[in-house]
Amino acid sequence: MTFSDNKQLAGLNILVTRPLHQSIALATSIRSLGGNPIVLPTLEIADVADLSPLYEIIDRLNEFDWAIFVSSNAVNKAMPLITARSILPSHLRIAAVGKGTADSLMQYGISDVLIPEDKFDSEALLECKEFDEMAGKRVVIFRGLGGRQLLGDTLQQRGAVVEYAECYIRKKPVIDTASLLSVWSQGQLHAVVVTSSEGLHNLFDIIGELGQQLLKVTPVITTHERIAQAAKQLGLEKIVIAPSPGDVGVMESIRTYFQPAENNTA
C-alpha cells in the first residue's frame, strides 16, 4: 500500500488519550494525514474544590524569588486567577518544565521564562545553573494536586524554601469502552498515544482485561522515558518514544512507525 504525501495515515485508527482540551490539535494533525483519531481522554483536569489556599499564595507572590510552572494545565488554571487579583511582581523569576508550558505562559504575556535546553522534565530543569545555588531562595511551584515531589524536594535540599500552589486536580474518568474494544478486537486500532504515566495507568484500568491484552501488542507512542518504563512494567511490548514531547514529536513518531516500506525504496 502506498500513501500520498497528505494521506500517510489513511486507514489507520489512532487512540489519543490526552485530556480532551489537549487532544484537539493532535487529532486535527492525525486527521490531516488521512488518519482517524479516536479521542478517549484518560485524564480529566478539574478545578480544586477549595481555591482559598491558592488565593493565599497568589496574594503574597511578592515574597517569592521563583515561580515554577510544571505544565500547561498549571499555567491555564493559575494565570487567570493571578491576573484577576494582581500583577506578577517585577522581581519574580519564572521557570517552566518544558517548551509547551512556556508557550502557554507566552499567551499571558510572559516571555522571559527559564526552560531546560534539551530534555523537558523536572530533572532537566534542575540541571539549569540558575538552580545551583538556592540557599535562602523562596520558590512557589504551580502544579496539580499530588504531583511529583522531585522538583520541590531537590530545591529544598539545595537550601530553598518551597511552597506548592496546587491549582488543579487530575481525575480518572468513567468511560464506556465497549465500542472501542469491539473495534480493537477486530484489529482495527493501530496505535495508542499516551503522554503521561498516570494517563497510561488509568487507560489500563479503564479498558479491563481484554483491553489490557490488546494494549500489550499495540504500538504505544509515548513522550518520555519515564512513561516508557511504566509501559514496560505493565507488559507492553511495542513502545515508541517520540523525539520531543509536543504534537510535532508525536506526529513524527506516528509517521515514521507507519511509513510504508515502498516509500523507503526507489
Side-chain angles (χ1 to χ4, degrees), residues 9 55 178-179:
L9 305 183
Y55 282 137
S179 59

Side-chain angles (χ1 to χ4, degrees), residues 142-167:
F142 288 91
R143 67 173 192 173
L145 183 67
R148 293 180 74 203
Q149 296 292 116
L150 174 69
L151 187 57
D153 286 353
T154 303
L155 291 174
Q156 285 179 328
Q157 291 168 9
R158 296 176 183 177
V161 177
V162 176
E163 294 187 48
Y164 294 105
E166 295 177 319
C167 48

Side-chain angles (χ1 to χ4, degrees), residues 20 32 38-39 46 62 77 83 87 92 115 122 125 160 199 214 220-221 239 247 256 262:
L20 184 59
S32 71
I38 300 174
V39 177
N62 63 309
K77 288 296 184 182
T83 56
I87 60 173
L92 182 66
I115 60 172
S122 296
L125 185 61
L214 295 168
V220 174
I221 312 297
I239 304 166
D247 289 350
T256 300
E262 293 92 328

Side-chain angles (χ1 to χ4, degrees), residues 30-231:
I30 292 170
R31 199 174 290 114
S32 71
L33 294 181
N36 176 43
I38 300 174
V39 177
L40 184 85
T42 58
L43 272 179
E44 290 181 357
I45 305 300
D47 295 329
V48 294
D50 181 9
L51 288 173
S52 55
L54 181 57
Y55 282 137
E56 192 272 333
I57 288 179
I58 290 173
D59 289 341
R60 53 185 182 84
L61 280 176
N62 63 309
E63 297 179 4
F64 295 95
D65 300 290
W66 282 93
I68 301 175
F69 292 83
V70 303
S71 66
S72 293
N73 289 320
V75 174
N76 293 325
K77 288 296 184 182
M79 284 306 302
L81 302 180
I82 292 172
T83 56
R85 294 175 78 88
S86 63
I87 60 173
L88 290 174
S90 59
H91 73 273
L92 182 66
R93 300 198 62 184
I94 309 295
V97 167
K99 186 179 182 302
T101 305
D103 289 344
S104 295
L105 285 164
M106 181 74 76
Q107 296 176 9
Y108 293 92
I110 303 171
S111 57
D112 186 10
V113 179
L114 174 68
I115 60 172
E117 291 185 2
D118 299 315
K119 294 178 65 177
F120 298 128
D121 53 23
S122 296
E123 290 85 346
L125 185 61
L126 287 166
E127 291 177 2
C128 294
K129 62 180 177 57
E130 288 84 351
F131 291 131
D132 286 346
E133 300 294 334
M134 295 300 294
K137 299 294 185 181
R138 298 186 65 90
V139 180
V140 57
I141 299 176
F142 288 91
R143 67 173 192 173
L145 183 67
R148 293 180 74 203
Q149 296 292 116
L150 174 69
L151 187 57
D153 286 353
T154 303
L155 291 174
Q156 285 179 328
Q157 291 168 9
R158 296 176 183 177
V161 177
V162 176
E163 294 187 48
Y164 294 105
E166 295 177 319
C167 48
Y168 62 94
I169 59 176
R170 297 174 296 272
K171 295 181 177 180
K172 180 172 69 175
V174 177
I175 302 173
D176 182 354
T177 59
S179 59
L180 171 67
L181 293 175
S182 176
V183 170
W184 208 341
S185 297
Q186 298 172 49
Q188 294 303 306
L189 185 64
H190 302 95
V192 178
V193 177
V194 177
T195 56
S196 78
S197 298
E198 187 174 358
L200 171 63
H201 284 103
N202 287 352
L203 173 65
F204 204 74
D205 290 343
I206 289 168
I207 58 180
E209 185 174 351
L210 171 59
Q212 290 165 9
Q213 295 306 311
L214 295 168
L215 179 63
K216 288 178 180 180
V217 294
T218 302
V220 174
I221 312 297
T222 74
T223 55
H224 196 281
E225 177 62 34
R226 188 171 60 251
I227 307 171
Q229 289 299 322

